[in-house]
Amino acid sequence: MYRFALPVLLAASLGLSACSINSGAISSGFADAGDTASLKPAGSSDFGHTTGSIDKSARSSLTGTQVAAYTPDNAPKGSFEKAPRGALSDRDYSGTALDPERARDLINQYRAENGLKPLRLNASLTAAAKEHSRDLAKWDRISHYGSDGSNPWDRVKRTGYKPKVAAENVGTGQASFDEVLKGWKESPGHNKNLLLTDGREMGLALVQDPKTEFKSFWTLVIGSSM
């Protein structure tokens, strides 16, 4: 039982800010295929720091005295899903690994077959992907929201990257990059992100934790900068 989070595509324009969710897909958990959820700017302030229809309470930070061992979960309710206990216990993850250069080459081969320009590995986009995969592994779930309430656009921007467009694909439970890439290609929304015309750079991360139910947490971020 491996899963693919509904894909997310985000775009920015000068003078535009607040985001809206076209189909509500971001908050509907995960699916093996489905509509693409997009966040589109429609305002006049910094898009990366506005929420539109995203639950604002999920984006607020807690104030006052905190217990050191307590980590708040600010992901919006209904925006993530967990695996049933033991769902992937029969799969072998001993050989699961990520070779970023090979992954880039496989994605670029696919893009070339569709007449698109290749992507370069980017350290900032990789950092955003790693942050999200680590967070998903910590909470053992799949989502495009972080436990701090962040969406993909937030995570890309706080690495220092200035995105013109950004897209995120997430997968959990796959034992290899070939497996997760195959699933992304077969899902219309995820495939659209792989073939993002304006994409110029990418970051990719894998976090594994055998103690979790999902076992593997893959995040791909594709974007282009201002």
Side-chain angles (χ1 to χ4, degrees):
M1 187 192 118
Y2 45 87
R3 297 294 185 186
F4 299 99
L6 290 164
V8 176
L9 170 66
L10 311 98
S13 300
L14 294 178
L16 301 181
S17 64
C19 61
S20 62
I21 300 174
N22 273 358
S23 63
I26 287 181
S27 61
S28 65
F30 60 77
D32 295 322
D35 296 333
T36 300
S38 63
L39 301 183
K40 295 184 177 181
S44 58
S45 59
D46 188 352
F47 175 57
H49 296 284
T50 58
T51 60
S53 60
I54 296 175
D55 183 0
K56 293 184 179 180
S57 64
R59 299 284 302 278
S60 63
S61 59
L62 298 183
T63 59
T65 303
Q66 298 292 319
V67 178
Y70 175 70
T71 303
D73 183 7
N74 286 336
K77 292 181 180 179
S79 68
F80 57 85
E81 198 150 344
K82 293 177 173 286
R85 186 179 299 275
L88 296 169
S89 58
D90 61 341
R91 301 204 77 200
D92 181 10
Y93 292 89
S94 60
T96 303
L98 173 62
D99 180 340
E101 286 75 20
R102 177 178 178 273
R104 174 204 58 203
D105 291 346
L106 288 174
I107 291 174
N108 282 340
Q109 178 183 341
Y110 183 53
R111 287 175 61 85
E113 291 169 358
N114 287 273
L116 297 175
K117 294 181 179 179
L119 303 174
R120 304 180 299 272
L121 287 171
N122 177 274
S124 294
L125 296 184
T126 296
K130 285 182 178 178
E131 176 190 353
H132 194 47
S133 283
R134 287 169 180 158
D135 190 62
L136 293 179
K138 177 181 177 180
W139 294 88
D140 194 7
R141 64 192 184 195
I142 185 165
S143 177
H144 284 296
Y145 281 98
S147 61
D148 60 355
S150 64
N151 61 48
W153 189 266
D154 298 325
R155 293 187 291 273
V156 166
K157 286 197 68 178
R158 65 192 179 200
T159 66
Y161 192 88
K162 297 180 179 179
K164 178 169 60 178
V165 64
E168 179 182 88
N169 282 356
V170 177
T172 55
Q174 295 83 7
S176 68
F177 180 72
D178 295 79
E179 185 178 21
V180 73
L181 180 60
K182 180 176 183 292
W184 285 339
K185 287 180 179 179
E186 292 174 350
S187 165
H190 297 86
N191 188 61
K192 183 177 180 179
N193 283 350
L194 290 174
L195 301 179
L196 185 63
T197 303
D198 294 336
R200 295 294 178 268
E201 297 165 312
M202 62 170 279
L204 184 67
L206 164 65
V207 170
Q208 295 175 261
D209 187 344
K211 299 186 298 297
T212 64
E213 298 297 340
F214 271 130
K215 311 300 181 186
S216 65
F217 303 82
W218 304 82
T219 302
L220 169 68
V221 180
I222 295 175
S224 62
S225 59
M226 294 286 193

